[in-house]
Amino acid sequence: MFEILKDFDWMLFLQYLSPMLVLLVAAAVLMVKSILSSDEDELGFEVPFAITIAGLIASFFAAWYFWPKVPNAMIATLYFDRAVFIGWMIVVMATLSVVLISIDTIRESKVTYDGYFTLVLMSAFGMGIIIAAANLITLLIGLEIMSISLYALVVSVRRSDISVEAGLKYFLMGGFALAFFLMGLAFIFGSIGTCDLSLIAQRAPEISDVGARAFYMFGIAMLLIGFGFKIAIVPFHAWAPDTYDGSSTPVTTLLITAAKVAVMIAFMRFALAAAGTFDINWYYVMWGLSAITMLYASLAAIRQYNLKRMLAYSSIVHTGFMLLLFPSAALDHAGVVKAMLFYLISYVVMNIGAFAVISTLVADSSGEVEINRLAGLAKRRPLLAAALSLFLLSLAGFPPTIGFFAKYYLFLTAIKNGDVALVVVAIVASAISIYYYLKPVVVMYFRDETEVGGKAPFANSAVLHPAVVAVLVLSAMAVVFFGVFPNNLIELIRASI
Amino acid sequence: MIITLQHYLVLSVILFAIGAIGVISRRNIFIILMSIELMLASAALAVLSFSRWNLLPDGKALVFFVMAVIAVEAAIGLAIIIVVHRRKKSVLTDDLGLLRG
């Protein structure tokens, strides 16, 4: 493990790590600023906001600059290939959108601007390490950097006591997951003698000793449970709806988009290494997890009357869709990576849009985002209602949107690998999903506000912040543009493998 | 009796199971946090015993990472418990019923 650290090019390493290091530097600057500044300075919003935005934009363009030049190699314990930089750009864009839609929320909650932006940047840095990790230990450290910042974010950016509880639940489940992850790491390390993913892929099929084989299988199972908690696969999902619903909307957006993308990419790397050759046990386990995640979460989403909670379950359904690729992942590594990256991009764009709308709705009325209270929104705020409808239709996968093509390529890849039965399950789940995605649309367009039972309907007076408008317009444009011309995006991803 | 790798691994798995049962069955947040720490420590024990018996010197370095992670988890956990206690005046999960299912 550590012999790899003896001879490698530090300069090259720092150069390719620079997109992620930029965020670390920005976070450090904010931390120092918050120590040095007096109480009145902490109320200032512009400086920390400017530092954060500058860091994120610099990071994005650094990744953009290095993207065509990366060596497709492992330096020290991080991968630097184009897929890493694509993943990193997705995470940075998601984080940037979260920062932009959080302006009003942060003003109302008690957290300081310096603290909030530091935590956001640190969690994004952790996500970068997770995406690039070529080694289970690096992955562990990245997961911790991300999770610790997110626990603090969920608890500190609070709209009420519910956020504190959501944070507690998230922390306890995160710690529980971490224990499984560590146990898996211990047993894989013990049976193979390394934590390096490519070496695991190389040596795993060669284990001949029965005892070592059993240890290895046990380790893989434990790691799978750990990942299952982190990305909310169904038997391990109980924390997810509560945490997503209880946190304030920008933090939910960060959890549901950027954090999930990062861990999903790490899971994909782990799966391609662990199931480097086709394995029948792996096939059945992943098949079952994917099917049960899609079906259970779809049925649970139908029952929700709270828009945020419904979207939380919908994100679990989308996780199930992504798992569709994994049973036969060994047959077509490149195809899996392509379909996955495309799906992740569309997933992030659609969810950012939907949550940007929710954050403006919540801004003028604290409490739950009940679907009934959307009644008549189309008359009062036609553009906002149209935007939310567009994102929901895209999440459901209707044709002229990015969600349709993402699902199409996902199903196509799975069918090519021979998982036809699983695709049928996915289509059933999609059919169910049309019901719960269309429910808010119907309420917005076809129900009068007088029918709302006792509670005030949403968004009579909310003034949209220009930053939120920018996020909404950009994500709506991306949803439609890549829905009509998906080839641009596909070429970009094809060039990334 | 000669102590072998298997003994240590069995001990580690037993500690892990005790911790898992504690997390699931206990109602006091402190006890749950302690159970999580026990699970993490049992993983560290497994790493060390593998490193000792399979002659993997890297394991001794790996275990420091694990210990750092355990310490960080404890720190953030206690901070969160303080916030919860300030808000709800209780550290029992039964008293925190706002989010269920």
Side-chain angles (χ1 to χ4, degrees), chain A residues 9 78 103 108 111-112 157 210 241 250 254 260 301 319 324 331 338 363 411 423 489:
Chain A
D9 193 343
L78 295 178
I103 296 171
E108 280 162 26
V111 66
T112 62
V157 188
V210 180
L254 193 65
K260 201 160 215 170
T319 309
L324 199 69
L331 301 178
K338 258 183 261 176
F411 291 176
V423 172
L489 205 53

Side-chain angles (χ1 to χ4, degrees), chain A residues 79 130 133 136 139 181 188 197-198 200-202 204-205 216 220-221 223-224 227-228 231 233 262-279 282-283 285-287 289 322-334 336-337 340:
Chain A
Y79 282 120
I130 294 173
L136 288 177
L139 180 55
F181 193 90
I188 288 179
L197 283 175
S198 53
I200 289 175
Q202 219 172 56
Y216 175 71
I220 292 286
L223 267 183
L224 202 56
F227 271 116
I231 54 180
I233 297 171
V263 184
M264 206 69 203
I265 289 177
F267 180 65
M268 179 175 72
R269 281 194 194 286
F270 159 73
L272 291 180
T277 50
F278 188 79
D279 182 277
W282 172 268
Y283 178 83
V285 168
M286 290 314 293
W287 205 104
L289 285 178
M322 292 181 226
L323 289 184
L324 199 69
L325 292 167
F326 290 116
S328 331
L331 301 178
D332 181 13
H333 283 210
V336 167
V337 177
M340 181 62 125

Side-chain angles (χ1 to χ4, degrees), chain A residues 218-242:
Chain A
F218 181 73
I220 292 286
M222 287 304 220
L223 267 183
L224 202 56
I225 295 174
F227 271 116
F229 274 112
K230 286 282 177 196
I231 54 180
I233 297 171
V234 154
F236 319 111
H237 71 291
W239 61 274
D242 286 349

Side-chain angles (χ1 to χ4, degrees), chain A residues 299-348:
Chain A
L299 294 176
I302 288 181
R303 295 199 312 263
Q304 305 305 323
Y305 56 90
N306 177 342
L307 185 58
K308 224 162 137 188
R309 217 173 166 77
M310 189 273 274
L311 283 174
Y313 275 108
S314 116
S315 101
I316 301 178
V317 177
H318 283 276
T319 309
F321 286 146
M322 292 181 226
L323 289 184
L324 199 69
L325 292 167
F326 290 116
S328 331
L331 301 178
D332 181 13
H333 283 210
V336 167
V337 177
K338 258 183 261 176
M340 181 62 125
L341 287 177
F342 193 83
Y343 202 87
L344 285 176
I345 290 174
S346 86
Y347 170 83
V348 163

Side-chain angles (χ1 to χ4, degrees), chain A residues 82-123:
Chain A
R82 288 182 174 184
V84 164
F85 281 82
I86 287 279
W88 176 242
M89 284 190 263
I90 304 174
V91 165
V92 170
M93 287 313 278
T95 313
L96 191 60
S97 315
V98 168
V99 169
L100 290 176
I101 66 174
S102 61
I103 296 171
D104 286 338
T105 316
I106 300 309
R107 191 168 293 140
E108 280 162 26
S109 75
K110 290 195 179 82
V111 66
T112 62
Y113 295 115
D114 292 341
Y116 171 75
F117 288 127
T118 309
L119 287 173
V120 169
L121 289 175
M122 283 304 291
S123 69

